[in-house]
Amino acid sequence: MVSALLLLTAFGQATTPKLTFQGGAFVVNGASGPEKVLLSTARPATGLDRSRGRLTLTLEKKTVTFDARGLTFAVKGTNYTNRLQAVPVSGKIATKESNEALIRAVKDGSRKLEVSALSGWAVQGKELFLLVRWDDKSGKPWLEALVKVDMGSPRPKPDLVGKFDGLSYARGVVDDVLRIKDGTLWFLAGKEDSFGVASMKTDGSDAVHKRMGDPVAKAELLPGDSTAWTLTPSAYGTSILGFATLDKNEYHLVAEVRGQMRSIVPPCLAEYRSANGEEVVSLRTGALTSMDANAEWRATSSGLLCWWPAKAPTKAVLYDDDFRKLATWDSRAKAATLGAKPKIEVTSKPHKVGRG
């Protein structure tokens, strides 16, 4: 997937791209030459199984698994499990007063000492870092902590590193929100008064929260980890979408939509279902367009490619970031013509709803 910067650069190019379909794939011929776009892309094998709530990783010939039972290690034919009950009451992250309140909550059943979920993980050399989470009875997170596992040890075990400033937006029993760069661990994080990025050194020092905007209900990194999108329901039944450029510390609200969110199409599209049917909004510009219910979107170095039906396309359009048509393809025509009327039409002009 191209980066946001490359995509923006490509949109500004003077060369008019051409769109063809051959051998079961689209070919976008732009300023950087031909680019093949397959109708479907195989996902790489991973040890993360969201549907079963399980993560399995093998490092240094040892296997570690996280699921609803906790953290399980498989070493030389033997298995042992740690539910991390000692973490919430550790002096590294707790006080006498907070522990007294926690014990009362455990007794009344509103909280538990056993770990609830894994928000993310990262690997540096032989060290495995795990962002583990505790949820209360209602499912709301009340604690996240970073633990480190030396997988080079004969018998690996989790050691508490510390606590970040802010909670992640991770969901489910296992998620993948933690990132590492130059010895610093980080993730998108929320606090009561803000949305931003929480970071900490691998030794537990320099835990900071960089504010980017007002609180949001949901935030997720886009491929490349340089941009992110946010979603916050309003009091009157709409969803407010935001877009963040992390390396520039820029964040703004791009659109307010009424409908059911379906998915995010990297690097900059949000699909949702409204009373008007299927629609797509650009997270970068706020531009809005309607779409065929069976359409497929893909980012290319020359623009945003949309085709329909998804598995056996008969039409396709290449758009720029404001949904202006750059090229079209029709299976009934001998060649794509820029003036052909596609099935998808822009239904509103780009709009902004505010700035964080």
Side-chain angles (χ1 to χ4, degrees):
M1 194 62 66
V2 296
S3 68
L5 179 61
L6 289 176
L7 192 56
L8 283 170
T9 302
F11 287 167
Q13 63 191 6
T15 303
T16 301
K18 295 182 179 180
L19 181 61
T20 58
F21 185 77
Q22 52 188 270
F26 285 99
V27 177
V28 182
N29 206 326
S32 58
E35 180 179 355
K36 181 178 288 188
V37 180
L38 301 176
L39 296 189
S40 63
T41 56
R43 295 182 177 180
T46 176
L48 178 66
D49 189 335
R50 298 180 189 275
S51 62
R52 298 176 64 185
R54 178 178 298 173
L55 171 73
T56 302
L57 295 172
T58 300
L59 295 171
E60 298 297 310
K61 299 182 180 179
K62 306 175 187 72
T63 299
V64 56
T65 299
F66 186 95
D67 55 21
R69 297 172 297 177
L71 200 58
T72 301
F73 297 90
V75 181
K76 294 183 178 180
T78 63
N79 294 345
Y80 54 98
T81 299
N82 191 318
R83 304 197 69 182
L84 306 177
Q85 299 101 316
V87 170
V89 295
S90 169
K92 280 188 175 182
I93 60 174
T95 64
K96 178 181 178 181
E97 291 75 18
S98 67
N99 278 340
E100 289 174 350
L102 175 56
I103 295 305
R104 289 194 295 270
V106 171
K107 288 181 178 179
D108 67 26
S110 59
R111 292 183 178 182
K112 61 181 181 178
L113 294 177
E114 293 80 8
V115 67
S116 304
L118 175 69
S119 296
W121 78 96
V123 177
Q124 180 175 266
K126 298 180 181 180
E127 294 181 331
L128 171 63
F129 294 92
L130 303 171
L131 181 64
V132 284
R133 189 175 79 246
W134 281 257
D135 299 334
D136 63 19
K137 188 177 181 179
S138 68
K140 183 178 179 179
W142 57 272
L143 172 65
E144 273 182 328
L146 181 71
V147 299
K148 178 178 67 175
V149 181
D150 180 5
M151 295 300 290
S153 170
R155 186 178 173 87
K157 63 180 180 65
D159 292 315
L160 176 61
V161 177
K163 185 172 66 172
F164 288 86
D165 186 10
L167 295 172
S168 78
Y169 297 93
R171 305 180 303 278
V173 178
V174 291
D175 208 338
D176 181 21
V177 304
L178 187 64
R179 300 291 186 268
I180 186 169
K181 182 178 181 180
D182 300 329
T184 297
L185 294 148
W186 64 276
F187 56 87
L188 300 177
K191 300 179 69 175
E192 290 186 0
D193 61 349
S194 66
F195 149 72
V197 176
S199 62
M200 182 167 57
K201 297 292 186 182
T202 55
D203 62 3
S205 63
D206 297 336
V208 298
H209 183 276
K210 182 170 67 174
R211 187 185 193 278
M212 298 197 73
D214 292 335
V216 301
K218 183 177 181 180
E220 191 170 310
L221 288 170
L222 289 163
D225 296 340
S226 63
T227 56
W229 65 277
T230 68
L231 181 146
T232 305
S234 72
Y236 40 91
T238 63
S239 294
I240 300 174
L241 295 169
F243 185 76
T245 304
L246 303 182
D247 55 353
K248 296 182 180 180
N249 197 35
E250 293 179 352
Y251 172 66
H252 59 274
L253 305 179
V254 293
E256 184 172 7
V257 300
R258 184 180 296 276
Q260 179 184 0
M261 287 294 301
R262 294 190 60 196
S263 65
I264 296 295
V265 182
C268 62
L269 299 179
E271 294 184 38
Y272 68 99
R273 182 180 291 117
S274 72
N276 298 322
E278 305 293 324
E279 297 188 281
V280 175
V281 61
S282 169
L283 294 172
R284 212 164 6 242
T285 67
L288 178 70
T289 184
S290 61
M291 61 177 285
D292 187 283
N294 194 28
E296 181 81 13
W297 289 86
R298 200 73 51 80
T300 76
S301 60
S302 298
L304 299 165
L305 176 62
C306 178
W307 70 84
W308 64 95
K311 295 183 178 180
T314 58
K315 293 184 179 181
V317 180
L318 185 70
Y319 290 108
D320 71 5
D321 216 20
D322 284 318
F323 296 117
R324 292 184 291 255
K325 289 176 286 185
L326 301 175
T328 64
W329 171 83
D330 191 324
S331 63
R332 295 169 298 182
K334 292 184 178 180
T337 58
L338 191 58
K341 183 179 181 181
K343 193 171 183 178
I344 297 178
E345 296 294 335
V346 175
T347 58
S348 69
K349 295 181 179 179
H351 59 284
K352 297 286 180 68
V353 295
R355 185 169 292 273

